[in-house]
């Protein structure tokens, strides 16, 4: 029978999927296991349940002599040393289905907040409690979305869900990914391919949805930001280091793009301090999947992967 080490604090719902003859090791509610605790517990574990903000590096994995499965509670798995896991024959799974809609909804929330300057206007009202804020007819105008162009960088599950929502707002959608879709797929989805440079030049809104990898590190840097029109908006719900945050800060300060909506940040999800003083930035602290529904579904999806793997099934969300 297997020992399942759950590295992080999570809901209880979903654990009923694990047959009771397996041993579960979970941290006390309210906190995650530390790296030291994980290193001490791993030699006993057949399965490790991990999450995007707990690094699962080679030195930690190496402690798991019996480890057969790392089940990540996230679609992104850049917290795991995948090459080392592969070299050890350890399976890695993720939770691709439950994160799609909530993350796409957050991207829409950031987009609408930026395009209609919601946070800036809300702050104005709060600064003068009980006083009507006087707005000139042309003060603080927003960017309309209808008939504008959305550029999706990384057209996978979440990119597609954002594209679908933006099409409902009347936007034209162009996309960039490594492997272009077939003309039939493009036609069915109502999207047009562009190279990254073409997309950046042509888009009024750019929304990032690639995984983080050495290939996507600083995919959007100074050169790419300079290609975007001055009225354009950048949305990042992917991973912080897909964008060169220093370069983004300069672009926003200099007005070479209009606004940014950011859920993720380059340095361990801690935004550069200077971003906080810019009215044209809307920030959230990596909460793409922070809804009750998503948290439940992610738990179920992760634990279903564990239960199926332990039952010898291959119908799991396997990344390695
Ligand atoms: N802010 C949040 O809370 C959340 C963030 N995420 C992030 O969103 C990312 C995307 O998630 P999904 O859409 O589910 O993944 P996915 O695997 O369905 O789609 C990723 C897309 O990016 C493309 N891509 C990969 N490398 C590329 C490159 N170098 N250049 C251009 N395109 C490239 C792929 O071809 C694919 O179309 C995750 O990897 C994760 O980092 C996901 C969920 C929640
Ligand atoms: O799925 C991903 O990739 C994510 O970024 C996660 O949904 C974030 O989940 P938490 O770590 O906030 O539980």
């Amino acid at each position: 029978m297997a020992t399942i080490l759950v590295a992080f604090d999570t809901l209880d719902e979903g654990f009923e999927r694990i047959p009771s003859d397996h041993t579960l090791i979970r941290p006390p509610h309210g906190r995650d296991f530390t790296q030291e605790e994980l290193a001490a517990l791993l030699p006993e574990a057949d399965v490790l349940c991990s999450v995007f903000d707990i690094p699962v590096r080679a030195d930690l994995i190496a402690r798991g002599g019996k480890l057969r499965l790392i089940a990540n509670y996230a679609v992104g798995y850049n917290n795991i040393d995948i090459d080392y896991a592969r070299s050890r024959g350890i399976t890695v799974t993720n939770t691709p289905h439950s994160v799609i809609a909530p993350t796409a909804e957050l991207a829409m929330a950031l987009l609408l907040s930026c395009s209609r300057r919601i946070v800036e206007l809300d702050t104005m009202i709060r600064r003068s409690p009980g006083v009507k804020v006087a707005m000139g007819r042309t003060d603080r105008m927003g960017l309309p979305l209808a008939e504008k162009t959305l550029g999706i960088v990384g057209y996978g599950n979440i990119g597609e869900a954002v594209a679908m929502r933006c099409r409902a707002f009347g936007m034209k959608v162009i996309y960039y990914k490594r492997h272009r879709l077939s003309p039939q797929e493009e036609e069915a989805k109502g999207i047009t391919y562009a190279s990254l440079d073409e997309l950046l030049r042509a888009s009024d809104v750019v929304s990032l949805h690639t995984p983080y990898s050495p290939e996507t590190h600083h995919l959007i840097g100074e050169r790419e930001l300079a290609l975007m029109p001055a009225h354009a908006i950048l949305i990042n719900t992917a991973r912080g280091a897909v964008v060169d945050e220093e370069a983004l800060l300069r672009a926003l300060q200099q007005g070479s793009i209009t606004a940014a909506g950011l859920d993720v940040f380059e340095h361990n999800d801690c935004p550069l301090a200077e971003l906080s003083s810019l009215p044209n930035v809307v920030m959230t602290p990596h909460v793409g999947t922070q809804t009750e529904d998503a948290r439940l579904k992610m738990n179920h999806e992760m634990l279903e992967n564990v239960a199926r793997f332990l039952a010898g099934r291959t119908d799991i969300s396997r990344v390695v």
Side-chain angles (χ1 to χ4, degrees):
M1 287 301 109
T3 296
I4 302 158
L5 172 59
V6 184
F8 59 102
D9 184 26
T10 188
L11 299 172
D12 294 327
E13 288 87 345
F15 281 92
E16 69 281 357
R17 284 165 191 262
I18 306 296
S20 57
D21 45 357
H22 296 306
T23 304
L24 274 172
I25 305 176
R26 298 175 62 188
H29 276 305
R31 74 171 185 91
D32 298 340
F33 281 131
T34 63
Q35 288 282 313
E36 292 71 30
E37 287 170 326
L38 289 174
L41 291 164
L42 257 172
E44 296 309 312
D46 302 274
V47 175
L48 172 67
C49 293
S50 55
V51 68
F52 96 98
D53 56 357
I54 294 189
V56 184
R57 290 185 293 258
D59 56 339
L60 185 65
I61 299 173
R63 304 272 309 160
K66 295 162 58 188
L67 196 61
R68 290 184 284 142
L69 171 68
I70 301 172
N72 216 35
Y73 173 92
V75 66
Y77 48 86
N78 53 297
N79 57 309
I80 301 169
D81 188 331
I82 289 290
D83 291 338
Y84 183 71
R86 188 185 285 116
S87 76
R88 285 268 320 272
I90 295 169
T91 300
V92 178
T93 56
N94 66 350
T95 59
H97 306 292
S98 37
V99 304
I100 303 171
T103 312
E105 286 173 10
L106 185 78
M108 294 307 295
L110 291 170
L111 168 50
L112 288 163
S113 298
C114 288
S115 68
R116 299 309 297 267
R117 307 172 75 145
I118 300 294
V119 174
E120 190 183 342
L121 295 169
D122 177 89
T123 304
M124 276 173 67
I125 292 177
R126 285 169 199 272
R127 280 203 184 122
S128 310
V131 176
K132 180 181 187 305
V133 170
M135 287 286 289
R137 293 273 173 273
T138 56
D139 281 355
R140 291 185 165 76
M141 291 190 289
L143 178 84
L145 298 184
E147 296 168 24
K148 298 294 180 193
T149 298
L150 166 74
I152 296 281
V153 178
Y155 193 89
N157 288 331
I158 298 171
E160 177 162 32
V162 172
M164 197 178 77
R165 285 157 175 77
C166 285
R167 273 163 53 84
F169 276 77
M171 298 187 80
K172 173 187 164 193
V173 179
I174 61 178
Y175 79 98
Y176 164 72
K177 72 197 282 282
R178 283 170 309 175
H179 310 294
R180 184 175 175 171
L181 300 176
S182 69
Q184 293 77 11
E185 283 173 301
E186 288 179 359
E187 196 182 334
K189 293 175 191 295
I191 57 175
T192 307
Y193 178 80
S195 70
L196 181 58
D197 285 6
E198 286 166 353
L199 179 146
L200 294 168
R201 285 195 190 96
S203 298
D204 302 290
V205 175
V206 173
S207 194
L208 305 177
H209 300 288
T210 66
Y212 178 67
S213 67
E215 206 187 327
T216 59
H217 178 79
H218 287 190
L219 186 66
I220 305 298
E222 189 171 353
R223 190 190 77 82
E224 290 72 26
L225 290 161
L227 296 176
M228 293 172 66
H231 66 265
I233 294 171
L234 179 72
I235 305 297
N236 188 8
T237 58
R239 285 289 184 265
V242 174
V243 177
D244 177 344
E245 201 168 302
E246 296 272 359
L248 175 62
L249 174 67
R250 287 193 298 276
L252 289 162
Q253 285 169 332
Q254 293 161 7
S256 77
I257 66 169
T258 282
L262 309 171
D263 184 47
V264 287
F265 303 90
E266 181 169 0
H267 308 289
N268 203 18
D269 272 334
C270 176
L272 288 174
E274 294 92 329
L275 286 171
S276 296
S277 58
L278 298 181
N280 53 345
V281 181
V282 177
M283 296 182 281
T284 48
H286 201 144
V287 291
T289 50
Q290 193 85 346
T291 68
E292 200 175 330
D293 188 64
R295 293 313 192 189
L296 271 173
K297 287 182 175 162
M298 288 167 77
N299 234 29
H300 281 285
E301 196 172 355
M302 174 186 74
L303 293 165
E304 188 63 27
N305 282 327
V306 174
R308 288 183 188 188
F309 177 86
L310 291 174
R313 288 170 61 172
T314 53
D315 51 346
I316 53 178
S317 301
R318 183 179 181 136
V319 294
V320 165

